[in-house]
């Protein structure tokens, strides 16, 4: 009998939140090639702002880590986000409308869901005394994106912009990142005391809810 992966158990604990964000109408309409492109452009702008904060979050996590292997992992994830993920977003936005100044946040009005998610990460990075809470709060973002992209891979996406987005988040590199993330999250959860496990569950669930709200804001463009 195979022992359940602790990270997967953590996800099951918040199955409703997880399933809601994985099957959000934004995602379903992408799969059906019926999502209006302006909604996707709105999402890209908001996510670019969010990822800047996510990168700051990763740097704080690196500073708090006393494990050299974890420091290296946070470093790799940071550079991957800046050099690959955010660059991909820029290229997609440019292809949609010749946007060249996406890095200037003053050009993007931040949606309340984006601000709430960012505020949550800032709170966790400041209040979490150890890495358990930090890793739990960041895990749903890359993990859910992989599952969404893998789900969308099963259909025939005709929109070239959507196709490139899906390719990026379902790539071997994304799969490896999430595999490593789940391994780290499982190791931390296994060793944690009960009170820390409750905190990890709380942060993981909150992040799932913020992810759902993010998709909802993108769909409604507000």
């Amino acid at each position: 009998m195979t022992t359940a992966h602790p990270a997967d158990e953590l996800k099951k604990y918040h199955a409703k939140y997880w399933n809601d964000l994985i099957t959000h109408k934004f995602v379903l309409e992408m799969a059906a090639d019926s999502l209006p492109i302006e909604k996707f452009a709105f999402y890209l702008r908001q996510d670019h702002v969010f990822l800047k904060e996510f990168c700051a979050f990763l740097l704080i996590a690196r500073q708090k880590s006393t494990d050299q292997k974890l420091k290296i992992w946070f470093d790799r994830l940071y550079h991957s986000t800046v050099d690959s993920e955010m660059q991909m977003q820029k290229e997609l936005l440019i292809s949609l409308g010749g946007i060249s100044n996406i890095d200037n946040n003053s050009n993007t009005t931040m949606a309340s869901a984006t601000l709430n998610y960012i505020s949550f990460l800032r709170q966790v990075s400041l209040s979490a005394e150890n890495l358990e809470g930090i890793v739990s709060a960041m895990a749903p973002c890359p993990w859910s994106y992989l599952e969404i992209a893998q789900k969308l891979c099963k259909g025939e996406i005709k929109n070239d912009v959507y196709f490139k987005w899906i390719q990026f988040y379902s790539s071997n590199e994304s799969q490896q990142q999430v595999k490593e993330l789940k391994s780290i999250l499982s190791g931390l959860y296994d060793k944690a005391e009960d009170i820390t496990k409750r905190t990890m569950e709380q942060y993981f669930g909150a992040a799932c809810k913020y992810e759902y709200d993010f998709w909802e804001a993108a769909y409604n463009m507000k």
Side-chain angles (χ1 to χ4, degrees), residues 26-35 152 156-158 162:
F26 188 104
V27 175
L28 297 180
E29 289 187 13
M30 277 185 72
D33 258 339
S34 61
L35 181 74
L152 293 175
E156 292 186 13
I157 306 296
K158 298 177 182 178
Y162 298 166

Side-chain angles (χ1 to χ4, degrees), residues 10 189-190 192-202:
L10 194 58
Y189 191 81
D190 264 341
E193 297 180 358
D194 286 346
I195 189 170
T196 303
K197 286 180 178 178
R198 301 294 84 79
T199 299
M200 294 176 74
E201 292 162 4
Q202 176 189 344

Side-chain angles (χ1 to χ4, degrees), residues 27 30 54 60 78 93 97 123 125 136 138 141 146-147 164 169 181-183 185-186 194 197 204 211:
V27 175
M30 277 185 72
F54 189 74
I60 292 173
Y78 169 84
L93 278 167
Q123 178 188 352
S125 65
S136 300
M138 62 163 283
C141 181
L146 173 64
E147 287 201 7
K164 288 177 180 176
Y169 287 110
L181 171 63
K182 288 173 64 176
S183 177
L185 183 62
S186 292
D194 286 346
K197 286 180 178 178
F204 190 95
E211 282 289 329

Side-chain angles (χ1 to χ4, degrees), residues 1-189:
M1 182 176 178
T2 304
T3 304
H5 204 294
D8 289 319
E9 289 299 309
L10 194 58
K11 185 180 77 171
K12 283 182 183 178
Y13 190 79
H14 297 288
K16 184 184 184 306
Y17 282 162
W18 191 271
N19 290 334
D20 284 350
L21 71 93
I22 293 294
T23 59
H24 192 278
K25 50 186 175 273
F26 188 104
V27 175
L28 297 180
E29 289 187 13
M30 277 185 72
D33 258 339
S34 61
L35 181 74
I37 198 67
E38 60 268 22
K39 292 188 177 184
F40 192 77
F42 181 93
Y43 150 75
L44 283 176
R45 287 178 176 275
Q46 293 297 315
D47 201 38
H48 200 78
V49 173
F50 170 79
L51 283 181
K52 288 184 179 181
E53 190 68 28
F54 189 74
C55 285
F57 184 80
L58 292 176
L59 290 178
I60 292 173
R62 185 191 183 284
Q63 291 170 3
K64 289 196 173 188
S65 176
T66 57
D67 186 304
Q68 188 59 29
K69 289 183 179 179
L70 271 182
K71 282 182 179 290
I72 293 172
W73 183 77
F74 281 121
D75 241 1
R76 287 206 315 268
L77 188 55
Y78 169 84
H79 287 292
S80 172
T81 304
V82 172
D83 299 333
S84 298
E85 187 172 6
M86 295 180 75
Q87 185 60 35
M88 175 272 295
Q89 290 178 335
K90 290 180 189 178
E91 291 172 0
L92 292 184
L93 278 167
I94 289 170
S95 73
L96 290 176
I99 298 163
S100 59
N101 57 352
I102 185 62
D103 284 322
N104 186 350
N105 285 353
S106 64
N107 294 319
T108 300
T109 301
M110 197 181 301
S112 59
T114 308
L115 179 59
N116 291 339
Y117 202 167
I118 285 173
S119 298
F120 166 68
L121 291 182
R122 287 176 180 172
Q123 178 188 352
V124 171
S125 65
L126 291 173
S127 62
E129 296 179 357
N130 46 46
L131 286 177
E132 285 87 348
I134 288 176
V135 175
S136 300
M138 62 163 283
C141 181
W143 190 354
S144 65
Y145 269 48
L146 173 64
E147 287 201 7
I148 287 170
Q150 288 177 326
K151 177 186 178 74
L152 293 175
C153 272
K154 297 176 182 178
E156 292 186 13
I157 306 296
K158 298 177 182 178
N159 186 303
D160 189 53
V161 172
Y162 298 166
F163 182 74
K164 288 177 180 176
W165 186 92
I166 292 164
Q167 273 192 317
F168 181 89
Y169 287 110
S170 62
S171 66
N172 290 335
E173 290 79 7
S174 291
Q175 292 179 47
Q176 183 61 32
Q177 282 181 352
V178 173
K179 180 180 178 181
E180 292 170 357
L181 171 63
K182 288 173 64 176
S183 177
I184 291 167
L185 183 62
S186 292
L188 292 171
Y189 191 81

